[in-house]
Amino acid sequence: MIDIVELSISAKKNRQAAPDTQYVYYPVSVVPVKYWAVEKEELSIVAKTMLQLCQLKPLSRAQLMEKLNIPPQWSYVIEQELNNLLMKGIVHERNGMMYETIDQPEPLQHVYKSGYMFFDEVRCKFFEYVHEGELMTSYDIEPPFMLERNTMFSKEFYDSSTCDEQMKLAVANFNEHKAKYFEEGVTVEEAAIKTADVTHISIEKRPFTFVKKGCYMPIQLQAGDVFYSVEGIPYQKPEVISPFIKQPSVVLQTVIEAQPKGKEAIEWLIAESESVFSQQFEEAETLLERIEERLQGVKICDAVFEYLQLSEQAVMNAEAGERSLVASRPAIINNFNLTIEATMKPLVASIQPFDVPEQWKKEHKKRQLPNYIEKLFYELRTDLPSSLKSNMKTIANKMVEYGALERVHIYGNRDYMAALLLHDRVHRKYWFNELKEAPHYLQKLERIVSLRNDHGGHHNDYLLQLSDEAFYKLLHELHDDVYAIIRFLEGNR
């Protein structure tokens, strides 16, 4: 008998896998904690309305009261709300006029919460995740695919400063992931970071007797789509679904594939779903030819090629008059964003190490680094999306604080493009000069990222309510933009 922990309230005993699904059981220990969690701060309806009004044009207090139809005796309401917004830096006051701060993300706050942290007994570290909901525990017969643990969670380790530092670092990164999601809609699993400030992180641990030791967490494996190599050879790529972010996890897949039981589970899954290879090759040949034609000789990695196959298939289905499920539209939009991400990730890796220029350090010391970055890209001032410019300033500041780009959390397409442009501007000015002549590539990228963040990362009525004709038009436009961006990033226009 083993102790199985699940994060969903729908956890059931005697879990049965569907033919295209299998589970491996991951060894963990579960630690109950109290900690400061980053959350979105809820603004009042009055504050939200004022922000919308100030976004249109600067307004004074008197003008806001007039537009909101607030009587003079209630002026203190406006005063309190404005002071709150000013204190949070959401609006600025100049010459008695109010206006919304450019590119200000949604206000965040830290809330003291209870939750559970999970110690990874394979990699001997804490997962960068804190579970805030109910934790389900069930006793089951020994399942077939249990991963081997490399350590047991001991009281000596639990009471050590090393454990405290690991927990603080995991919570710090988890909060940063959440903040990124709140600000840009980017869902992230673990991201390597060598340096992080954890002095402000406070975690309250319960006594060791409250720790659930020697547990197993079910990790879902699911049969992925059938893809084709450049040579036209079909293959299937199973996915490992993270129980934390409910999306495919490269980190967990690497761990599972490295263990005999994990590899066996994946092989079983592939064998059970072999029937998918019986589809006709004629359609695949057409799909591959279309991709090759649109790439115009640009070489791409396997990951990009896989994403393009999904996009191309969606476009082919639309051209054939096939009515797609409206519920699949967010996934299609998200795939365009992932295609660009898969293109830029290797490019960002190739520019590392990217050490901090001395001038950046000097400007940072004077608290002028954001202004300096603004001047570096002055020639693109009318074409550079403000969101991308904001990310460049943030990354530059963090590079100075942490010492190099490789020590900074880089995730999401705006971050990737920001890092590439910063490096390019400092070292070679190739893309910078290209963008001065063809800035529309920046608008294409911003459109894809914004659509994904606003409508493609979650349930959203906008995509569901589009007519088939309007959605197919959008599909073709984004499809063309993706190929254009890929050709640009690979040095072709």
Side-chain angles (χ1 to χ4, degrees):
M1 304 288 285
I2 65 168
D3 197 359
I4 299 175
V5 295
E6 301 198 41
L7 311 187
S8 170
I9 60 173
S10 62
K12 296 180 180 179
K13 297 181 180 180
N14 302 317
R15 175 188 290 280
Q16 296 295 322
D20 61 347
T21 303
Q22 185 50 269
Y23 288 85
V24 296
Y25 290 78
Y26 202 105
V28 296
S29 286
V30 185
V31 181
V33 296
K34 291 184 178 180
Y35 73 110
W36 288 98
V38 64
E39 299 291 343
K40 281 197 296 188
E41 184 171 348
E42 290 297 325
L43 298 175
S44 70
I45 186 64
V46 175
K48 290 179 179 179
T49 304
M50 287 195 297
L51 285 178
Q52 292 175 348
L53 291 171
C54 292
Q55 193 170 23
L56 298 175
K57 67 174 184 178
L59 294 171
S60 66
R61 285 173 167 81
Q63 289 172 323
L64 282 169
M65 289 185 61
E66 180 182 355
K67 289 186 177 296
L68 291 170
N69 197 25
I70 301 291
Q73 61 267 31
W74 289 0
S75 62
Y76 69 91
V77 175
I78 295 294
E79 191 73 25
Q80 289 177 350
E81 294 292 354
L82 282 176
N83 288 338
N84 184 46
L85 294 175
L86 281 166
M87 182 181 64
K88 291 179 170 60
I90 303 174
V91 297
H92 284 177
E93 182 177 17
R94 289 184 183 176
N95 300 323
M97 303 293 286
M98 309 302 304
Y99 67 96
E100 187 177 1
T101 303
I102 299 174
D103 297 325
Q104 176 67 37
E106 293 192 46
L108 301 178
Q109 61 181 342
H110 283 81
V111 180
Y112 201 51
K113 285 189 172 185
S114 297
Y116 298 94
M117 296 185 68
F118 299 86
F119 182 74
D120 181 341
E121 296 184 338
V122 177
R123 296 181 299 155
C124 307
K125 59 180 288 187
F126 281 91
F127 283 105
E128 294 178 358
Y129 174 80
V130 184
H131 183 64
E132 298 170 359
E134 183 179 1
L135 187 70
M136 301 298 295
T137 303
S138 64
Y139 290 86
D140 204 341
I141 60 174
E142 187 169 306
F145 300 116
M146 297 170 60
L147 300 188
E148 294 289 334
R149 56 170 51 90
N150 290 322
T151 186
M152 288 293 293
F153 195 68
S154 66
K155 186 177 187 302
E156 290 73 21
F157 175 74
Y158 186 66
D159 293 335
S160 69
S161 59
T162 301
C163 179
D164 292 340
E165 289 300 310
Q166 279 199 21
M167 293 175 74
K168 288 179 180 180
L169 183 59
V171 168
N173 290 343
F174 174 61
N175 279 339
E176 189 163 347
H177 298 333
K178 286 182 69 177
K180 192 73 173 181
Y181 178 75
F182 291 143
E183 293 169 2
E184 296 192 18
V186 178
T187 304
V188 189
E189 61 171 337
E190 293 180 356
I193 184 169
K194 297 182 180 179
T195 305
D197 179 15
V198 297
T199 55
H200 63 288
I201 299 295
S202 175
I203 298 176
E204 179 185 338
K205 298 190 298 186
R206 303 191 72 181
F208 184 70
T209 52
F210 288 90
V211 176
K212 292 182 179 292
K213 301 176 290 295
C215 302
Y216 286 84
M217 182 167 56
I219 306 292
Q220 181 184 357
L221 313 180
Q222 69 180 28
D225 294 296
V226 176
F227 296 101
Y228 293 83
S229 67
V230 177
E231 295 78 19
I233 301 173
Y235 65 93
Q236 191 172 22
K237 190 176 181 181
E239 295 176 333
V240 176
I241 306 301
S242 167
F244 308 130
I245 61 174
K246 311 302 181 186
Q247 292 182 8
S249 167
V250 176
V251 173
L252 289 176
Q253 183 152 356
T254 302
V255 175
I256 290 171
E257 288 176 342
Q259 288 221 8
K261 284 294 183 181
K263 188 175 181 180
E264 183 182 340
I266 291 174
E267 290 174 347
W268 179 94
L269 181 63
I270 292 175
E272 287 293 308
S273 57
E274 275 186 348
S275 59
V276 296
F277 292 116
S278 61
Q279 59 185 284
Q280 297 179 357
F281 284 92
E282 182 179 344
E283 180 179 335
E285 290 174 358
T286 302
L287 182 145
L288 300 180
E289 288 172 359
R290 286 169 59 112
I291 294 175
E292 183 178 357
E293 179 183 352
R294 288 176 176 270
L295 286 174
Q296 298 178 11
V298 169
K299 302 298 182 183
I300 56 175
C301 66
D302 291 341
V304 176
F305 193 56
E306 290 176 2
Y307 285 125
L308 286 178
Q309 290 177 58
L310 295 174
S311 300
E312 200 68 45
Q313 188 63 63
V315 172
M316 288 174 61
N317 293 343
E319 292 174 350
E322 295 183 20
R323 181 182 175 85
S324 63
L325 294 173
V326 292
S328 68
R329 291 176 177 179
I332 293 173
I333 298 300
N334 187 45
N335 185 69
F336 288 124
N337 192 70
L338 292 173
T339 306
I340 302 302
E341 182 177 318
T343 303
M344 288 199 286
K345 243 183 178 180
L347 294 175
V348 172
S350 70
I351 66 175
Q352 298 182 26
F354 178 12
D355 296 325
V356 182
E358 288 300 320
Q359 187 63 36
W360 290 18
K361 297 177 183 178
K362 295 177 182 178
E363 299 295 337
H364 185 269
K365 185 176 291 187
K366 296 186 295 184
R367 298 186 178 181
Q368 291 297 314
L369 184 54
N371 291 337
Y372 180 73
I373 298 299
E374 187 104 24
K375 291 176 183 176
L376 283 180
F377 291 89
Y378 182 77
E379 292 170 275
L380 293 175
R381 64 191 182 282
T382 59
D383 301 301
L384 192 65
S386 54
S387 54
L388 181 55
K389 190 188 305 180
S390 174
N391 284 36
M392 284 195 289
K393 295 175 183 178
T394 300
I395 290 174
N397 272 316
K398 288 187 176 181
M399 282 181 63
V400 176
E401 293 169 6
Y402 297 156
L405 177 65
E406 62 188 37
R407 296 178 178 176
V408 180
H409 277 287
I410 299 293
Y411 39 76
N413 281 335
R414 289 190 182 121
D415 270 5
Y416 289 129
M417 180 58 81
L420 290 174
L421 290 180
L422 285 171
H423 182 272
D424 180 81
R425 185 67 179 84
V426 170
H427 290 287
R428 63 173 191 165
K429 296 175 66 173
Y430 171 73
W431 281 327
F432 178 76
N433 290 330
E434 288 282 294
L435 288 171
K436 285 194 295 184
E437 298 179 14
H440 60 274
Y441 290 111
L442 293 172
Q443 278 73 53
K444 291 178 186 293
L445 175 65
E446 182 63 21
R447 184 188 187 193
I448 291 172
V449 173
S450 296
L451 273 169
R452 185 272 170 195
N453 291 350
D454 295 340
H455 309 299
H458 46 80
H459 172 78
N460 190 281
D461 289 339
Y462 168 76
L463 290 177
L464 302 184
Q465 293 174 0
L466 284 180
S467 65
D468 286 344
E469 182 180 358
F471 179 72
Y472 292 154
K473 182 177 182 292
L474 176 64
L475 182 65
H476 277 88
E477 291 173 354
L478 296 179
H479 187 243
D480 291 341
D481 287 349
V482 165
Y483 279 104
I485 293 169
I486 291 174
R487 293 194 298 268
F488 169 73
L489 289 170
E490 297 297 340
N492 294 273
R493 285 172 45 188

